[in-house]
Amino acid sequence: MATKDEIFTRGHELYMRHISLLGKAVPLALKSVIRKIEAKHGKTLDSILKEKKDTIKIFYYDLFKALFKEDEDSVNTQIESWELSTLCCVISFVLSENSKLDCVNCISDQLRDVEKYTHFASLEYSTYKQKWESLRESLLELVKGSEAEYECKRLIHSYDESEAIIVSNEVIKELKRTEDVNKHIHVAINSEFALDGQNETKDDPTGGKLEYNDIAEQKTKFIQPLSDIFVHEEESLVLSCELNIAGSQAEWRKNGEPLLETKTVKVLADKGHQWLVFARAIPEDTGKYSCICNNVSTSAFIKVSK
């Protein structure tokens, strides 16, 4: 049976996964929706907001203050500076993107709901699982067919429960200094070292401490192998595996030949994680793919059907 401390630590880990995905993938997804709206109407975000300025000021004054500068004529179109709640409001109320409304509302609800958990910076597993599944589905729907699709899928996979992370005590202490959701998200997405355990120590089987800087001396191996994937043409897919040593250089091959990246096929790596991302699969992508590092490898078969 898990001890109280273990449960507490697990809760912190789940909370970090959740707010990290909110902080990184949500802006990516919402900005892709805005770009689609601009293309649909043939107008820039700046011009659309100016056309609706009076309505925003009357009915959504707090949003007005967030969007317009002091002269009330210039629009703050630096989306990166907007809070996530502002992005959601712009899409839902200002741009009236009804086809994505359920997905955006899901994100808005989660942003509001996470305030309940900022005091402890912890989530129970059942709560995390429910939130993760609905957030994942909403994000995938928002980025479907956009340039942000493969990056969003990579982020989802990065923070998925199957990927091992270690939460630093220093980060937890930082989170507990405030109950502001936006500050929690900021801390999470700027604390990547805490998510994979860099600068931490762990128990050595001999009874001492093993520094993470010494892990390179371990024998390289894949702790998560590739898995076969079957998809339809034009669908996106991600092959993923994980090495036990962070920073290991890996090579991808298709049918034994070195793999070349294209506009729709990208190789990504982060610490020990390796990804091969297909934005839009085509039948010619069918084949055996291998990820190779030193003298070890893992392989899987991709089948793309029409």
Side-chain angles (χ1 to χ4, degrees):
M1 180 180 292
T3 66
K4 182 177 180 182
D5 287 341
E6 288 171 338
I7 294 172
F8 189 65
T9 302
R10 175 63 166 160
H12 283 118
E13 175 199 323
L14 297 175
Y15 180 78
M16 287 290 286
R17 291 182 189 276
H18 183 64
I19 62 174
S20 294
L21 189 65
L22 280 172
K24 283 200 167 183
V26 166
L28 192 69
L30 295 181
K31 282 190 282 188
S32 75
V33 174
I34 289 177
R35 299 302 172 234
K36 287 180 181 178
I37 294 173
E38 288 180 317
K40 177 182 177 181
H41 295 284
K43 299 177 181 178
T44 64
L45 178 62
D46 180 89
S47 62
I48 296 173
L49 292 176
K50 285 180 178 179
E51 289 175 2
K52 297 177 178 286
K53 183 179 73 172
D54 292 338
T55 301
I56 299 172
K57 187 173 183 178
I58 294 172
F59 295 102
Y60 310 106
Y61 187 66
D62 287 340
L63 182 60
F64 177 83
K65 290 191 294 183
L67 295 176
F68 289 86
K69 299 178 181 179
E70 291 184 3
D71 60 11
E72 297 191 357
D73 288 321
S74 302
V75 181
N76 173 20
T77 54
Q78 298 297 315
I79 297 179
E80 290 75 13
S81 69
W82 295 0
E83 292 184 355
L84 296 182
S85 56
T86 300
L87 266 170
C88 290
C89 288
V90 167
I91 294 172
S92 300
F93 304 131
V94 180
L95 303 181
S96 302
E97 183 54 39
N98 294 326
S99 65
K100 305 293 184 182
L101 194 56
D102 288 344
C103 297
V104 176
N105 285 342
C106 170
I107 293 171
S108 296
D109 291 342
Q110 292 215 12
L111 287 170
R112 286 192 294 269
D113 197 44
V114 78
E115 294 177 1
K116 301 176 184 177
Y117 309 99
T118 53
H119 179 71
F120 296 104
S122 179
L123 283 176
E124 293 182 358
Y125 180 77
S126 58
T127 302
Y128 160 81
K129 198 66 177 176
Q130 181 183 25
K131 290 179 177 298
W132 183 272
E133 289 301 325
S134 58
L135 180 59
R136 174 182 177 277
E137 292 303 316
S138 294
L139 288 170
L140 292 177
E141 180 62 30
L142 289 173
V143 299
K144 185 184 296 182
S146 73
E147 293 182 356
E149 186 171 12
Y150 79 83
E151 176 63 13
C152 192
K153 286 188 173 183
R154 186 191 72 80
L155 288 169
I156 290 172
H157 201 80
S158 296
Y159 294 110
D160 186 82
E161 185 190 357
S162 63
E163 301 293 334
I165 66 172
I166 297 175
V167 180
S168 163
N169 288 331
E170 291 303 314
V171 173
I172 299 304
K173 290 178 183 178
E174 182 69 22
L175 292 176
K176 288 189 174 183
R177 292 192 182 103
T178 177
E179 294 184 18
D180 184 288
V181 174
N182 292 303
K183 289 182 179 178
H184 274 221
I185 290 174
H186 178 77
V187 169
I189 65 178
N190 286 283
S191 302
E192 291 300 325
F193 68 91
L195 294 180
D196 51 45
Q198 291 181 9
N199 300 326
E200 295 288 330
T201 60
K202 64 177 185 179
D203 292 332
D204 185 292
T206 62
K209 291 290 183 179
L210 177 65
E211 297 291 336
Y212 270 81
N213 290 335
D214 297 329
I215 291 181
E217 298 178 4
Q218 299 180 31
K219 184 178 179 180
T220 303
K221 65 179 180 180
F222 284 93
I223 56 177
Q224 179 188 324
L226 296 173
S227 298
D228 294 341
I229 299 179
F230 299 87
V231 297
H232 291 288
E233 187 176 8
E234 292 298 312
E235 289 184 343
S236 60
L237 67 93
V238 179
L239 275 179
S240 65
C241 56
E242 183 182 356
L243 288 157
N244 63 323
I245 301 175
S248 298
Q249 295 295 315
E251 176 192 4
W252 287 91
R253 290 177 175 264
K254 177 186 177 183
N255 298 327
E257 298 296 326
L259 181 74
L260 299 178
E261 290 187 274
T262 67
K263 290 183 178 180
T264 59
V265 180
K266 300 293 182 182
V267 172
L268 301 169
D270 183 25
K271 314 304 185 291
H273 302 286
Q274 310 291 328
W275 297 277
L276 181 60
V277 182
F278 296 76
R280 295 180 183 82
I282 57 177
E284 289 76 11
D285 290 326
T286 295
K288 180 182 178 181
Y289 290 81
S290 302
C291 186
I292 304 167
C293 183
N294 295 331
N295 61 341
V296 296
S297 66
T298 177
S299 301
F301 189 79
I302 290 178
K303 172 63 176 177
V304 181
S305 58
K306 294 182 178 181

